[in-house]
Amino acid sequence: MTDQQKESLEDRLKRLDAELAERRKTDGADAAAEARAAESRTGYAVAMKLSSEFVAAVIVGALLGYLLDHFAGTGPWGMIVFLLLGFGAGVLNVMRAAGMVASPHPVDRLAGREPGKAGGRRDETETKDGA
């Protein structure tokens, strides 16, 4: 190879390195943008889930209240009571789904045990008078 061909190859190699470095920078920016978009989509999905749970609970409560009023003839009281119960159930469902309120284990609820104590028994350090 001649000196001119070597210089030409070295120039092309430098240009290629520069282009690769530029593309790597844009690839990193694209990956970061995609990560932010994925996080945003996840947030929207959680927001839609929580809002639909709340709205569904309120609608079910209102529907049950309306049906009670229609068939029992209780006037607006069934609708008022069940609408408030639906609102409360919706708030509780949203708080449970968001992790702000822990739901008790079904076995503990049925047995009447405290969730914190294993087997529903008292600690062996406790005496009969609770001291």
Side-chain angles (χ1 to χ4, degrees):
M1 287 188 154
T2 64
D3 287 338
Q4 186 180 12
Q5 286 178 337
K6 285 183 182 180
E7 284 182 20
S8 172
L9 287 174
E10 288 177 9
D11 290 341
R12 287 179 22 200
L13 184 60
K14 287 179 185 178
R15 279 197 319 262
L16 182 61
D17 282 340
E19 287 178 22
L20 283 174
E22 187 177 319
R23 291 230 175 146
R24 285 184 184 135
K25 288 179 187 176
T26 59
D27 286 346
D30 290 343
E34 181 60 32
R36 283 192 306 270
E39 185 177 322
S40 177
R41 284 191 301 267
T42 303
Y44 288 138
V46 169
M48 290 300 293
K49 176 187 169 205
L50 294 178
S51 63
S52 64
E53 283 187 13
F54 177 74
V55 169
V58 172
I59 289 174
V60 167
L63 183 65
L64 288 175
Y66 173 77
L67 290 174
L68 178 72
D69 285 343
H70 181 70
F71 291 115
T74 57
W77 295 109
M79 174 76 110
I80 292 170
V81 169
F82 278 94
L83 186 65
L84 290 174
L85 285 175
F87 179 80
V91 169
L92 185 61
N93 283 340
V94 168
M95 291 179 72
R96 279 185 183 158
M100 301 187 81
V101 175
S103 60
H105 194 273
V107 174
D108 291 334
R109 257 193 328 219
L110 292 175
R113 292 181 278 194
E114 293 181 39
K117 295 188 178 181
R121 296 184 205 108
R122 293 185 310 188
D123 289 338
E124 285 142 16
T125 58
E126 288 184 19
T127 60
K128 288 186 178 183
D129 61 356

